[in-house]
Amino acid sequence: TTVTIDCTLPTYSSNIKTIISGSTYGFYGVAVDTARNVYVSNSGAQVYKYSVDNNYTSGVLLTPTTAPSLAYYGSAGGSTSSQIGVVYGLVVDRVSNNLFMADTGGYYIGYNPNPIYNYRVQRWKLSGSVAGTTVAGSTGSESSLNQIGTVYNIHVDANGVLYVADATNHRVTKWILNAITGILVAGDKNGTSGSTLTMLNGPQGVSTDKIGNIFVSDTGNHRVVRWASGGTTGVVVAGGTGQGSSNSQLNSPTSIIVDGNGNLFVLDSGNQRIQLWSPDATYGIIVFDGSYNNAVSSGSLGMAMDASGNLYVTDYSGKRVHMIPISSPTTTASLSCTTAIYSNTVTTVAYDPSYGFYGVAVDSTNNVYASNSAAQVYKYQYSSNYTDGIRIAPTTAPNVPYYYSTPGGNTASQIGTVYGLFVERLSNNLYMADTGSYNYYSSLSQQNYRIQRWGLNGSVFGTTMAGGAGSGLAPNQIGTVFNIYVDTNGVLYVPDATYHRVTKWTLSAAAGVVVAGSWYGATGSSLALLNGPQGIWVDNSGNVYVSDTGNHRVVRWASGATTGVLVAGGNGQGPYPAQLNSPTSIIIDGNRNVFIFDSGNQRIQQWPPGATYGITIFDGSYNNAVSIGSLGMAMDTSGNLYVADYGGKRVQMISIINHSICLGKKSLFDFALTSKHIALIRIQLQRILHRVHLVLYLKP
């Protein structure tokens, strides 16, 4: 079987640039001309030009050119050709070098406390004009086709045709040059809103592709729909699965852009992010996360793209404009994996009103094991729908400490606080990272610094498999450990966050062998060192994958290697697709996809083999489904994921909908394809790949 794949997707830098700031007013719209000069509209009923020649350091007032009358109740504006009201949306027609303005926001005159609206789109020549020309509207906001209501974004195609997303009248109208009335191209002509695909609900963005399809940001329905030229109904191309923050959902999208390759960029305003949806995709890829450090406020409207593909976005509350530089316009991969698709709805399978959960593990029959902050490990049975927990450890009650704290013990039937859990399914043993603190009589905390193996066939005590000799650098010692891994041969791998290394412990070994990091506990950011590693996994080839938490990356160490290879993150701490923020647990599936519990970003990412960015398959920040700093993640035999939400005192299950399928060079994967496999692969590829060239040569 030979499979050839050509996949093109742009990637963006995590180093955003604030190019405009310090304004008195918040910014609404943004546009860019061929020379990369930037135009912005503000809440003071003004439009400014910021020149690339002076590095956007100072703006020049473009309009109004005639000063409006003084207003006492709000922004002063006017209705003459040299004046404007509040302009929400801007677009530059680069062919004619004209700036189009959606002049539909309220302004004030004199002592009149009531806002006045122009309800028009103005065209302003960028060659020194002092007045604009009305090209749409200006006759009120009713539903007649010569009228428009409130408009937040507009679009002009290569032929100079203007498209107006009319949020008031729930429609999109097309205005050809010198037209006195618009032509309905999407939505209901009578201005009725709705959620069916023949209707729109407060659309705030519009764009077109090369063949004349019209893309509409259907804001109130939290989706983007595509309307063919002359069509009477739309097709959902992004979102449409309810309001939310998962990668298949949108939350009040505003501005949209369709690039030359058909990729759709969505300013997902309610989620403070920009998403990239490739053609026929069922989920979006985050190219800019504006929620990080509140870089873009919720409700921002404006987004633009220059000729090179760099993105510009307005931050209304921050009174600034950001540029997100493009890193690579084209990415071609010889190996491609479809992304596993997970449900937007999480299921709470374990809850404790008193204690937070650290570790989580799942056995072969989908029973869930969870460790808590009270130095206890519980089993939640699949057969009883996880309704009641059964305590596995300790089996001997610890002595109650004198002071209010965590009781624990160091006998074989007792434990301290267990951070990490792992079920070795062949032997049916539960491994516990018993390295957290507890109290025994006195108020002073103690730690066992050991890994315990606990048989799941009714054992009442555990066996020490690593450590137990105090915290230290000696080969028989370990420090604080947050996650562990056991391979099918019973070999235990321990990521030691205290001593910045990973040690391997064979069965009955009295000491561990360093397989990643420094044997003497040195920390650092080079690929020969680790910094507080908290996650571990080993693939079928014996490669060791380490969640290098303090360096915000995942590295792979081959057997016997003295240095690692970067496989995820490593681009600084941050929320972007190419970045991680304090990753903890990791899992490698049979297709070598890396699943990362990106704890500081409250998300789970999937990184396919060779990927330069991750795809968010679960966003735990939405409704705070998973708290920052949570540790544990597990996967059952069906591919469902389980995460320990420490702050929420619960374990969440994220159900899988579609598994990942990997295709690539035969040297990497050699497998026979049945007709059923081919059909499934084609369906999956249509969902996530931008451009696919699939050549199958089936041997007889």
Side-chain angles (χ1 to χ4, degrees):
T1 303
T2 302
V3 181
T4 304
I5 290 178
D6 180 18
C7 174
T8 302
L9 282 177
T11 58
Y12 283 81
S13 171
S14 59
N15 297 316
I16 67 169
K17 300 177 181 178
T18 301
I19 60 172
I20 302 171
S21 62
S23 172
T24 305
Y25 302 103
F27 292 117
Y28 287 121
V30 61
V32 188
D33 66 19
T34 53
R36 288 177 57 189
N37 300 307
V38 174
Y39 303 83
V40 291
S41 61
N42 65 31
S43 59
Q46 301 166 330
V47 174
Y48 274 83
K49 173 184 176 180
Y50 290 82
S51 175
V52 66
D53 293 335
N54 64 10
N55 202 28
Y56 310 112
T57 53
S58 59
V60 176
L61 181 66
L62 191 66
T63 181
T65 53
T66 300
S69 300
L70 185 64
Y72 292 90
Y73 292 95
S75 299
S79 60
T80 70
S81 61
S82 60
Q83 295 175 323
I84 53 172
V86 170
V87 169
Y88 290 128
L90 296 173
V91 66
V92 170
D93 176 14
R94 294 170 187 166
V95 176
S96 63
N97 199 34
N98 289 320
L99 177 67
F100 289 73
M101 309 176 187
D103 179 12
T104 65
Y107 63 94
Y108 296 84
I109 294 177
Y111 290 96
N112 186 355
N114 300 312
I116 301 169
Y117 301 87
N118 292 330
Y119 293 122
R120 65 185 181 182
V121 176
Q122 295 291 90
R123 184 184 65 212
W124 205 281
K125 291 184 179 296
L126 293 176
S127 55
S129 291
V130 293
T133 301
T134 300
V135 293
S138 82
T139 58
S141 63
E142 302 303 320
S143 60
S144 297
L145 287 175
N146 66 336
Q147 297 174 309
I148 61 174
T150 301
V151 175
Y152 294 102
N153 279 287
I154 48 181
H155 173 75
V156 178
D157 68 16
N159 298 314
V161 176
L162 169 68
Y163 293 81
V164 177
D166 189 335
T168 302
N169 292 310
H170 312 289
R171 66 189 184 192
V172 176
T173 50
K174 176 175 74 172
W175 299 68
I176 60 176
L177 209 59
N178 301 319
I180 59 173
T181 188
I183 301 169
L184 180 73
V185 293
D188 181 75
K189 67 178 182 179
N190 297 317
T192 304
S193 67
S195 60
T196 68
L197 288 173
T198 61
M199 307 183 87
L200 301 171
N201 185 1
Q204 293 188 25
V206 63
S207 188
T208 59
D209 64 15
K210 290 180 178 178
I211 60 175
N213 291 310
I214 300 142
F215 293 74
V216 185
S217 184
D218 190 7
T219 308
N221 288 321
H222 312 288
R223 65 189 183 190
V224 177
V225 287
R226 181 184 67 234
W227 290 59
S229 180
T232 58
T233 186
V235 176
V236 175
V237 294
T241 56
Q243 180 181 13
S245 68
S246 77
N247 57 354
S248 63
Q249 293 179 302
L250 299 172
N251 184 355
S252 303
T254 54
S255 185
I256 56 174
I257 297 169
V258 179
D259 72 6
N261 293 317
N263 295 306
L264 171 67
F265 294 81
V266 183
L267 177 50
D268 188 15
S269 184
N271 287 321
Q272 299 172 261
R273 67 187 181 187
I274 298 174
Q275 277 195 317
L276 162 62
W277 292 67
S278 57
D280 300 316
T282 57
Y283 61 89
I285 298 168
I286 299 173
V287 297
F288 170 63
D289 186 350
S291 67
Y292 187 64
N293 289 333
N294 205 31
V296 169
S297 51
S298 180
S300 292
L301 295 174
M303 178 175 64
M305 179 184 286
D306 65 24
S308 299
N310 302 303
L311 289 167
Y312 302 76
V313 60
T314 58
D315 172 23
Y316 179 79
S317 295
K319 302 175 181 177
R320 56 192 174 179
V321 176
H322 299 300
M323 182 180 76
I324 304 106
I326 192 168
S327 299
S328 174
T330 303
T331 302
T332 303
S334 59
L335 174 66
S336 181
C337 293
T338 64
T339 304
I341 306 298
Y342 283 83
S343 172
N344 300 325
T345 304
V346 298
T347 303
T348 299
V349 297
Y351 175 71
D352 189 317
S354 302
Y355 306 108
F357 289 112
Y358 287 120
V360 62
V362 186
D363 66 20
S364 57
T365 57
N366 291 346
N367 298 309
V368 173
Y369 303 82
S371 60
N372 65 31
S373 56
Q376 300 167 333
V377 175
Y378 274 81
K379 174 183 178 180
Y380 295 85
Q381 291 188 194
Y382 174 77
S383 60
S384 64
N385 201 28
Y386 308 111
T387 52
D388 297 307
I390 301 170
R391 193 172 71 186
I392 298 293
T395 54
T396 300
N399 293 294
V400 178
Y402 290 137
Y403 299 89
Y404 180 78
S405 52
T406 303
N410 59 10
T411 69
S413 60
Q414 296 175 321
I415 53 173
T417 296
V418 170
Y419 289 128
L421 295 173
F422 189 90
V423 171
E424 205 289 285
R425 292 169 183 167
L426 292 179
S427 63
N428 201 33
N429 287 318
L430 177 65
Y431 287 73
M432 308 178 185
D434 180 12
T435 65
S437 62
Y438 64 94
N439 296 86
Y440 182 80
Y441 281 133
S442 73
S443 63
L444 298 176
S445 64
Q446 303 179 54
Q447 293 86 22
N448 291 331
Y449 295 118
R450 65 184 182 182
I451 309 298
Q452 296 292 92
R453 184 184 66 196
W454 207 282
L456 293 177
N457 54 356
S459 292
V460 294
F461 60 86
T463 302
T464 299
M465 305 302 295
S471 176
L473 281 167
N476 66 335
Q477 293 178 306
I478 61 175
T480 302
V481 176
F482 295 101
N483 281 286
I484 46 181
Y485 178 84
V486 182
D487 68 16
T488 54
N489 297 313
V491 177
L492 169 67
Y493 293 81
V494 179
D496 192 331
T498 303
Y499 298 109
H500 315 291
R501 64 187 185 184
V502 177
T503 52
K504 178 175 75 172
W505 300 69
T506 57
L507 275 171
S508 305
V513 177
V514 176
V515 295
S518 166
W519 66 267
Y520 55 89
T523 182
S525 59
S526 76
L527 287 172
L529 297 170
L530 301 172
N531 184 3
Q534 293 189 25
I536 185 73
W537 201 269
V538 181
D539 67 17
N540 294 331
S541 301
N543 296 305
V544 179
Y545 291 75
V546 185
S547 184
D548 190 7
T549 308
N551 287 321
H552 312 289
R553 66 190 183 188
V554 174
V555 288
R556 182 184 67 239
W557 290 62
S559 180
T562 57
T563 187
V565 176
L566 183 69
V567 295
N571 296 302
Q573 180 182 12
Y576 299 103
Q579 293 181 302
L580 298 172
N581 184 356
S582 303
T584 53
S585 289
I586 54 174
I587 296 171
I588 315 297
D589 72 5
N591 288 325
R592 303 182 191 174
N593 295 300
V594 184
F595 293 82
I596 304 171
F597 191 4
D598 189 15
S599 184
N601 287 322
Q602 297 172 266
R603 68 186 179 188
I604 298 174
Q605 280 196 314
Q606 177 189 335
W607 289 65
T612 56
Y613 59 88
I615 298 167
T616 300
I617 58 175
F618 171 64
D619 186 351
S621 67
Y622 186 63
N623 289 333
N624 206 30
V626 172
S627 53
I628 293 175
S630 294
L631 296 173
M633 177 176 66
M635 180 184 286
D636 65 22
T637 54
S638 299
N640 302 305
L641 289 167
Y642 302 77
V643 291
D645 173 21
Y646 181 80
K649 302 175 182 177
R650 59 192 173 182
V651 175
Q652 307 275 60
M653 181 180 76
I654 306 107
S655 301
I656 192 166
I657 298 174
N658 286 322
H659 290 84
S660 171
I661 294 176
C662 289
L663 298 177
K665 293 180 179 178
K666 189 181 177 189
S667 60
L668 292 176
F669 294 97
D670 188 8
F671 50 85
L673 294 178
T674 66
S675 59
K676 180 179 179 181
H677 290 146
I678 293 171
L680 180 59
I681 289 166
R682 284 174 176 161
I683 291 170
Q684 291 277 42
L685 288 175
Q686 286 173 356
R687 288 176 172 167
I688 79 160
L689 296 178
H690 171 209
R691 196 189 315 158
V692 177
H693 175 224
L694 184 60
V695 180
L696 299 179
Y697 172 72
L698 301 179
K699 296 180 179 179

